[in-house]
């Protein structure tokens, strides 16, 4: 069984919490003291990291870090709610930061505050926004921001092969960071293509699947497939279209990931094998995803296909 690895926000920020909070607050005298539990009874949170810090000038306060794969319109209200709950629970001022990893569509405006007016009552919450695609990749190396090494490919000027290789070298030099290579490969595939990524680094999807961002990517695939199904299935009814779209989105995403992982596991695949894998149902793809962890060579894969096709 593959050992689970936490490559979510808490694991990443925990690599160098003081360096991280100094960067997001732009306060060079801030020192991280503790990463706090951030679970609240009435609020479900998956991507936040709450760090207790101390500064000679500002004293103790909390840095709320919300890491999101892509920005969504409900984030301002979530930032407001979570900042208030954190301040109430720990009785400390809160510095909220929203970190967006991938850019949204061109029509989406990213807000840096929550604001509402109702019956003469005004609610307001500022927070800092950091869009990683606007951050220069060179900053990661200059300031030793190891937390951002897996995201180098999606940073500004970070999509060059030489830059990705530099990030990869730093990861491999530290045994605490080497497990993050899969996450680096994942984001590198957005800008370099899967074949180039396979040539310069490992692609361990079994580890990557433990990341909340990987799960979010899968959900996006389901959503896109659902939308496609609605468009193509109007004549047969909206409900059927949604079901088919969701299935199609999951199967398309599953095929792509399985093919990438198999290539890494057993080597190049013949066109016949690729065609057989593309014909698998979603249930068969899930079964293959578990079975391939025990494959040693191409013969194991071919034997599996003979049994299950």
């Amino acid at each position: 069984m593959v050992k689970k690895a936490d490559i979510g926000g808490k694991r990443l920020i925990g690599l160098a919490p003081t360096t991280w909070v100094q960067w997001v607050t732009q306060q060079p005298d801030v020192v991280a003291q503790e990463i706090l539990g951030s679970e609240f009874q009435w609020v479900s949170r998956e991507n936040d990291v709450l760090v207790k810090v101390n500064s000679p000038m500002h004293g103790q306060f909390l840095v709320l870090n919300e890491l999101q794969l892509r920005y969504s319109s409900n984030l301002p209200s979530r930032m407001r709610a979570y900042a208030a709950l954190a301040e109430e629970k720990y009785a400390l001022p809160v510095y909220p930061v929203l970190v967006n990893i991938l850019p949204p569509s061109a029509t989406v405006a990213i807000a840096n505050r929550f604001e509402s007016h109702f019956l003469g009552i005004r609610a307001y919450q500022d927070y800092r926004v950091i869009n990683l695609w606007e951050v220069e990749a060179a900053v990661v190396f200059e300031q030793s921001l190891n937390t951002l090494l897996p995201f180098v490919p999606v940073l500004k000027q970070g999509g060059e092969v030489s830059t990705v290789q530099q990030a990869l070298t730093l990861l491999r030099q530290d045994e605490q960071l080497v497990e993050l290579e899969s996450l680096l490969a994942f984001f590198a595939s957005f800008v370099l293509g899967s074949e180039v990524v396979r040539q310069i680094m490992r692609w361990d999807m079994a580890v990557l699947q433990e990341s909340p961002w990987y799960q979010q990517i899968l959900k996006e695939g389901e959503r896109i497939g659902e939308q496609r199904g609605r468009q193509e299935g109007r004549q047969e009814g909206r409900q059927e279209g949604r079901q088919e779209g969701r299935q199609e989105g999951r199967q398309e995403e599953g095929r792509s990931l399985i093919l990438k992982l198999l290539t890494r596991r057993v080597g190049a695949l013949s066109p016949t094998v690729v065609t057989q894998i593309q014909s698998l149902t979603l249930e068969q793809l899930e079964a293959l995803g578990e079975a391939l962890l025990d494959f040693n060579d191409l013969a194991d894969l071919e034997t599996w296909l003979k049994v299950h096709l």
Side-chain angles (χ1 to χ4, degrees):
M1 180 177 293
V2 176
K3 181 181 178 180
K4 290 187 176 182
D6 175 13
I7 52 177
K10 190 171 184 178
R11 167 75 174 93
L12 292 171
I13 292 176
L15 294 171
T18 293
T19 303
W20 174 266
V21 295
Q22 288 176 352
W23 178 62
V24 298
T25 65
Q26 297 296 293
Q27 300 291 320
D29 60 352
V30 171
V31 177
Q33 295 182 311
E34 181 184 2
I35 296 180
L36 301 172
S38 54
E39 298 79 12
F40 296 103
Q41 184 177 3
W42 305 109
V43 181
S44 174
R45 313 291 297 176
E46 295 181 354
N47 304 311
D48 59 76
V49 184
L50 191 61
V51 184
K52 183 179 179 182
V53 304
N54 186 67
S55 163
M57 179 178 295
H58 304 289
Q60 285 190 337
F61 63 99
L62 306 174
V63 178
L64 160 62
N65 305 272
E66 177 77 17
L67 282 75
Q68 285 292 318
L69 187 67
R70 282 194 176 91
Y71 177 83
S72 62
S73 59
N74 65 336
L75 279 169
S77 61
R78 290 173 58 184
M79 295 294 290
R80 172 218 181 190
Y82 186 37
L85 287 168
E87 184 172 357
E88 180 183 23
K89 180 172 182 177
Y90 296 102
L92 289 171
V94 178
Y95 185 91
V97 182
L98 170 61
V99 180
N100 296 307
I101 299 173
L102 298 176
S105 64
T107 59
V108 175
I110 298 176
N112 60 2
R113 69 175 62 90
F114 170 85
E115 188 171 8
S116 71
H117 299 269
F118 182 70
L119 294 178
I121 302 298
R122 182 170 180 256
Y124 192 92
Q125 173 68 60
D126 274 323
Y127 51 88
R128 186 182 179 200
V129 173
I130 299 177
N131 298 318
L132 290 189
W133 60 91
E134 298 173 350
V135 176
E136 293 284 350
V139 171
V140 177
F141 308 116
E142 293 168 359
Q143 300 184 20
S144 298
L145 288 167
N146 291 341
T147 300
L148 292 181
L149 283 174
F151 304 112
V152 161
V154 296
L155 301 185
K156 191 173 183 180
Q157 308 298 325
E160 299 294 330
V161 171
S162 59
T163 307
V164 175
Q165 288 177 325
Q166 184 178 359
L168 176 63
T169 299
L170 291 174
L171 288 179
R172 288 180 173 176
Q173 288 175 350
D174 190 331
E175 61 182 18
Q176 291 185 321
L177 303 179
V178 69
E179 70 185 65
L180 302 178
E181 182 176 330
S182 296
L183 193 59
L184 174 65
F186 179 62
F187 286 111
S189 68
F190 281 80
V191 294
L192 296 179
S194 299
E195 185 58 36
V196 176
V197 172
R198 282 194 294 270
Q199 292 174 2
I200 63 175
M201 70 184 76
R202 294 186 291 270
W203 185 279
D204 193 349
M205 291 302 300
V207 174
L208 181 59
Q209 286 171 355
E210 304 302 330
S211 169
W213 296 307
Y214 172 82
Q215 299 301 327
Q216 196 168 341
I217 283 286
L218 289 185
K219 290 178 182 178
E220 286 196 9
E222 290 185 14
R223 177 179 55 79
I224 292 171
E226 182 178 340
Q227 292 174 346
R228 186 181 305 164
R230 284 201 299 267
Q231 294 171 355
E232 296 177 354
R234 285 195 182 100
Q235 293 179 352
E236 298 180 5
R238 285 189 172 183
Q239 183 62 31
E240 182 178 350
R242 281 196 295 269
Q243 292 173 349
E244 292 179 355
R246 185 180 297 110
Q247 185 82 357
E248 180 182 347
R250 292 182 65 190
Q251 283 187 262
E252 183 177 344
E253 189 74 23
R255 290 190 194 103
S256 176
L257 293 175
I258 290 295
L259 286 170
K260 290 174 181 176
L261 182 53
L262 282 170
T263 301
R264 170 59 194 164
R265 194 73 178 180
V266 303
L269 305 178
S270 68
T272 300
V273 170
V274 171
T275 300
Q276 289 176 321
I277 293 172
Q278 289 176 336
S279 69
L280 296 178
T281 65
L282 181 59
E283 290 74 15
Q284 290 172 322
L285 287 171
E286 291 175 349
L288 178 55
E290 296 180 4
L292 63 81
L293 298 176
D294 297 321
F295 291 172
N296 294 315
D297 50 37
L298 185 59
D300 291 335
L301 171 60
E302 293 174 341
T303 300
W304 189 95
L305 289 171
K306 288 179 181 178
V307 172
H308 291 84
L309 281 177

